[in-house]
Amino acid sequence: MDVASTLPFQVIYRIFTGKMNRNEVFGFLNLLRFWRLRRVSELFSRLEKDIRFSYFLTRLIKLICVTLLAVHSAGCFYYWLAIHHKDAENTWIGIEVEDFKSRSIWLGYTYSIYWSIVTLATVGYGDLHAVNLGEKIFSICYMLFNIGLTSYLIGNMTNLIVHSAIRTFIMRDSINEILRYGSKNRLPESLKDQMLAHMQLKFKTAELKQEEVLEDLPKAIRTSIAQHLFRRTVENAYLFKDLSNDLIAQLVSEMKAEYFPPKVDIIIQNEIPTDFYILVSGSVDVIVYKTGTEQILSKLESPQMAGEIAVMLNIPQPFTVRTRRLSQVIRISHHHFKQMLQPNNEDGKTLFINFTEHLKGMKKEEQNEIPYFSELLEDLNSEFTEPNETQNQRLPDYHGDQEMEGLPEASTPLPHTDRIRVIIHDHHPDEGTKDANSMGKLVFLPKSIEGLFGLAEKRFGKRGSSIFMADGSKVEDLNVLREGDHLFFV
């Protein structure tokens, strides 16, 4: 069919016979050229997928070609009906042009295209119209075809125009929904401004959001891209210095990138810690609330971290972290962080040494905002300053009991994952209610009663014989204790 649709049959006939034949047979053979439209359709399909060409322009040219083909084919066939009708004056063109058969073919073609276009456009001036039965039947079929063609053209053009503006429509709808929500709930203007800024930033940085762009790519490619974008930032963060390359690679692959507009809270004071953040670009303020006023303690920039103190110590966030300008951060959840550190004992020790050194170097104002800071720092120091032979008998990381021996070596180094913290006092609970200055000591709960007595003796310099709860009940099993319980040694 490809060959047949290409051969010039009239030229071949003239070569072999020496005569020019205008028989209608050759006209019908020329209709085989329509077979090549299949190739044209495949060509446009390839061009639409080729990013080197504008999809809008490619699709627009295709729609124009489809329209011209339909108009041309209908006009030619309509003129053919007039040419082959037995009574030339009883045709659509015969009543307008006398002796049209002897006139130029281009005159007839012009009339035909004119009729075809006004019929397709549903204008229908009425100067050219079907006269005989054959023309009326063809006009009926052509107008029915035009219904489908017009729907196809309008639908495609609508999609092209709407597609170019759909992001704007979505953004405007989202902003209007935020405004209606804020008005209905009487939110303060500052909060509504933050919501609007975040929504606008979401649309402005949509092409930069890794999760949306990379979600359909294989994990290996996503990991390689994350390594290229964020590995240097993670390596320069104080918490991850001197860690193994394997652990750094795992951490980077699990981190999620986010953008925050200016004057937006990334972390809120006293909220439950679930993630910590590393600044990639921009800067943030570390803020605390005292007596109803805000106090800026410090300013953080890349590659400094935020939220890691609460995650590492398993305490409510001691600070509010607010962006100063447009900032990009990468975050990792506590759950994934714990899973990756569990099989890496040496890296866990290095990480906690880095963390301890960072706590020591914090400003006094920041240290004062961390509850039981001195007790927590003392516990951290005791883990890594013991003689090596003692460490070999104890848990080699911060996960285990301070007074126990022979625990598994692969325990997780996170202090807050499985351990329970309690507050111990060296007096009877009734006496504690009278003494407002008795704050107690924050410690990690050992795995046995004897270990707990030994820990209390180490803290207070005296050994008790009984342990009571705040309500006066006696403690005989450590399994009943929960995070933050107050224990009284008598």
Side-chain angles (χ1 to χ4, degrees):
M1 290 298 296
D2 288 333
V3 175
S5 64
T6 308
L7 292 175
F9 292 101
Q10 283 181 297
V11 175
I12 295 174
Y13 179 84
R14 185 176 181 179
I15 291 174
F16 281 99
T17 63
K19 300 177 181 180
M20 187 65 182
N21 193 321
R22 298 184 180 278
N23 194 292
E24 290 185 3
V25 173
F26 294 106
F28 284 108
L29 288 176
N30 286 336
L31 293 179
L32 292 174
R33 297 174 184 175
F34 279 110
W35 177 260
R36 284 183 282 179
L37 292 177
R38 180 174 57 89
R39 295 294 184 89
V40 177
S41 177
E42 294 174 356
L43 171 64
F44 276 107
S45 296
R46 291 196 302 270
L47 292 177
E48 289 172 0
K49 296 179 177 66
D50 195 331
I51 62 173
R52 294 175 298 177
F53 301 95
S54 169
Y55 177 80
F56 180 86
L57 292 178
T58 303
R59 194 71 180 175
L60 182 62
I61 293 173
K62 179 180 179 180
L63 295 176
I64 293 174
C65 291
V66 169
T67 305
L68 293 178
L69 175 64
V71 169
H72 169 77
S73 302
C76 289
F77 191 78
Y78 204 48
Y79 186 69
W80 182 85
L81 289 176
I83 287 289
H84 291 81
H85 195 269
K86 58 184 178 179
D87 185 3
E89 295 182 357
N90 191 31
T91 60
W92 66 273
I93 191 173
I95 61 176
E96 292 287 336
V97 181
E98 295 182 359
D99 195 20
F100 67 92
K101 292 183 179 181
S102 60
R103 306 283 292 271
S104 169
I105 187 67
W106 292 108
L107 176 65
Y109 181 75
T110 303
Y111 272 81
S112 300
I113 293 298
Y114 168 76
W115 170 85
S116 181
I117 291 177
V118 296
T119 304
L120 175 65
T122 68
V123 176
Y125 291 121
D127 49 350
L128 298 176
H129 58 276
V131 175
N132 55 64
L133 181 62
E135 293 173 353
K136 290 180 180 180
I137 293 175
F138 175 73
S139 297
I140 291 171
C141 296
Y142 182 52
M143 285 185 283
L144 291 175
F145 168 77
N146 285 345
I147 294 174
L149 179 61
T150 304
S151 301
Y152 172 76
L153 296 175
I154 294 176
N156 277 269
M157 289 303 300
T158 302
N159 284 336
L160 291 176
I161 296 172
V162 171
H163 178 75
S164 62
I166 190 169
R167 290 184 57 82
T168 303
F169 291 155
I170 295 175
M171 184 185 74
R172 290 176 64 90
D173 290 342
S174 300
I175 291 177
N176 288 331
E177 289 178 3
I178 288 176
L179 292 175
R180 287 195 297 268
Y181 179 84
S183 300
K184 184 176 181 180
N185 294 275
R186 298 180 181 179
L187 298 179
E189 290 297 325
S190 59
L191 188 55
K192 287 195 289 186
D193 290 342
Q194 289 186 23
M195 296 167 64
L196 290 174
H198 180 78
M199 186 59 63
Q200 291 172 346
L201 180 66
K202 175 184 175 182
F203 286 95
K204 289 179 181 178
T205 60
E207 70 278 4
L208 300 176
K209 293 193 174 182
Q210 283 73 23
E211 288 305 307
E212 296 179 6
V213 176
L214 308 179
E215 59 183 0
D216 294 329
L217 295 176
K219 184 176 181 181
I221 298 179
R222 295 200 306 268
T223 301
S224 299
I225 295 174
Q227 298 291 329
H228 172 75
L229 294 175
F230 305 123
R231 185 181 181 105
R232 186 178 298 275
T233 301
V234 174
E235 288 177 337
N236 290 334
Y238 81 88
L239 193 62
F240 305 118
K241 286 185 177 179
D242 301 323
L243 298 189
S244 65
N245 291 330
D246 291 341
L247 182 58
I248 292 291
Q250 293 179 45
L251 288 168
V252 173
S253 64
E254 291 293 335
M255 290 184 171
K256 312 298 181 184
E258 292 183 4
Y259 286 87
F260 290 92
K263 306 300 181 183
V264 170
D265 293 340
I266 301 177
I267 298 172
I268 300 176
Q269 187 175 349
N270 294 324
E271 72 176 351
I272 301 300
T274 56
D275 306 86
F276 61 85
Y277 303 83
I278 305 176
L279 275 168
V280 179
S281 62
S283 62
V284 297
D285 287 327
V286 177
I287 301 171
V288 293
Y289 292 91
K290 290 185 176 180
T291 63
T293 60
E294 295 182 356
Q295 178 181 347
I296 298 178
L297 297 180
S298 61
K299 172 186 173 183
L300 303 180
E301 295 182 341
S302 177
Q304 293 177 294
M305 303 180 66
E308 81 285 2
I309 295 177
V311 170
M312 299 290 288
L313 299 179
N314 193 27
I315 61 175
Q317 292 288 356
F319 313 111
T320 291
V321 178
R322 181 178 300 159
T323 56
R324 297 170 61 92
R325 59 179 186 269
L326 175 63
S327 302
Q328 184 188 20
V329 300
I330 47 178
R331 63 177 174 86
I332 186 170
S333 70
H334 162 223
H335 176 69
H336 289 142
F337 186 49
K338 167 189 171 182
Q339 285 185 329
M340 284 182 282
L341 278 182
Q342 280 180 348
N344 296 279
N345 249 6
E346 293 302 321
D347 284 331
K349 293 179 183 179
T350 303
L351 183 142
F352 272 93
I353 291 175
N354 294 339
F355 180 63
T356 304
E357 293 300 321
H358 174 72
L359 292 181
K360 293 178 181 178
M362 291 176 62
K363 296 180 180 179
K364 192 66 176 178
E365 296 84 357
E366 295 176 322
Q367 293 178 356
N368 293 337
E369 298 300 323
I370 302 175
Y372 300 100
F373 177 81
S374 58
E375 286 82 355
L376 292 171
L377 186 59
E378 184 179 348
D379 285 337
L380 286 169
N381 286 329
S382 65
E383 281 297 317
F384 305 105
T385 57
E386 298 180 316
N388 291 333
E389 56 272 14
T390 305
Q391 290 185 3
N392 291 334
Q393 295 177 351
R394 294 178 46 197
L395 179 66
D397 49 46
Y398 202 68
H399 172 68
D401 176 16
Q402 291 186 340
E403 303 297 325
M404 297 186 62
E405 301 178 358
L407 289 182
E409 186 177 356
S411 299
T412 175
L414 286 180
H416 57 280
T417 54
D418 297 317
R419 301 193 62 188
I420 297 175
R421 292 172 304 180
V422 295
I423 302 171
I424 59 176
H425 304 264
D426 62 344
H427 54 80
H428 195 276
D430 293 338
E431 298 176 3
T433 58
K434 300 175 182 178
D435 185 3
N437 296 322
S438 180
M439 299 297 295
K441 302 285 187 180
L442 181 67
V443 298
F444 289 100
L445 187 67
K447 294 188 68 175
S448 66
I449 292 287
E450 288 301 320
L452 185 56
F453 277 118
L455 184 59
E457 183 179 8
K458 180 180 177 182
R459 296 296 188 191
F460 301 126
K462 61 180 181 179
R463 186 180 183 88
S465 59
S466 300
I467 307 175
F468 295 92
M469 300 285 288
D471 59 0
S473 58
K474 189 174 182 180
V475 177
E476 295 182 350
D477 186 356
L478 296 187
N479 291 329
V480 302
L481 298 180
R482 296 293 180 264
E483 178 78 15
D485 284 345
H486 288 258
L487 304 181
F488 300 84
F489 290 78
V490 179

